[in-house]
Amino acid sequence: MSNILIVSGHNDLENNSFANKIILERLNELLPEAEFLYLDKTYPEYKFDVAKEQERLKRADVIVMQFPFFWYSVPALMHKWMEDVFVHGFSHGSKGKALVGKKLIISFTSGTPEYMYQKGELQNHTIEEFLTPLIQFAATCGMDLAGIIYSGGLSYASGHDEEQLKAMREKAIKHAEKLAEKLKSL
């Protein structure tokens, strides 16, 4: 199997997550050989060891960005990691070829149910339309976008209803299993 790097971009996975926490726990069980980077634990102050992170990315054949969809994008911590680590001369530009050919999988959850991401519904756009910046990010870095794994309706705010929690737990586990299956197929 390829060298897999799974990057958790949740700002506070331990205290403020339901679905992403379950997804990552299940992935740890299914893919013990993968490397996991928890940005919130490793860089709680948003100060990145850029050289270390660039080396980590260079070692990986497959990079998974796992995150909750916050305000139509990645969480602030993951965005700052991208800004600081994926710099001109490393990830892009005439000399920035370190990530060319690596596979990228975008894996994320949203609190809003999937059906609301369409014209005429609450979000008024498809989820794919909101992903344009990440798709272009992969292209700019020369990475092969190997998949998008998405599950909606996984709101942390629903934590008071036992039936909803059970359904969300099952959905998060299925998300992790789908992602693991995708990774094993690469």
Side-chain angles (χ1 to χ4, degrees), residues 105-108 128 131 135 145-150 178 182:
I105 295 179
I106 300 169
S107 175
F108 65 102
E128 292 80 12
L131 297 180
I135 293 166
L145 184 57
I148 297 170
I149 310 289
Y150 162 61
K178 182 177 180 182
K182 176 69 175 176

Side-chain angles (χ1 to χ4, degrees), residues 65 67 74 82 104 106 130-139:
M65 294 172 65
F67 58 93
V74 299
M82 291 167 68
L104 176 68
I106 300 169
F130 287 113
L131 297 180
T132 300
L134 290 175
I135 293 166
Q136 186 56 43
F137 161 76

Side-chain angles (χ1 to χ4, degrees), residues 96-184:
K97 307 294 182 196
L99 304 177
V100 171
K102 294 184 183 289
K103 296 183 183 324
L104 176 68
I105 295 179
I106 300 169
S107 175
F108 65 102
T109 62
S110 72
T112 303
E114 291 96 335
Y115 77 87
M116 289 188 177
Y117 284 99
Q118 59 184 319
K119 303 289 183 209
E121 288 293 340
L122 179 66
Q123 302 303 330
N124 204 35
H125 295 278
T126 67
I127 198 70
E128 292 80 12
E129 289 174 313
F130 287 113
L131 297 180
T132 300
L134 290 175
I135 293 166
Q136 186 56 43
F137 161 76
T140 297
C141 295
M143 292 187 283
D144 171 24
L145 184 57
I148 297 170
I149 310 289
Y150 162 61
S151 295
L154 294 169
S155 175
Y156 186 72
S158 300
H160 60 279
D161 182 302
E162 287 302 318
E163 281 302 309
Q164 284 184 332
L165 284 173
K166 182 180 176 190
M168 287 192 309
R169 177 177 303 285
E170 290 172 8
K171 192 169 192 177
I173 289 170
K174 285 180 183 172
H175 180 107
E177 291 170 349
K178 182 177 180 182
L179 176 55
E181 185 177 305
K182 176 69 175 176
L183 287 165
K184 288 177 181 179

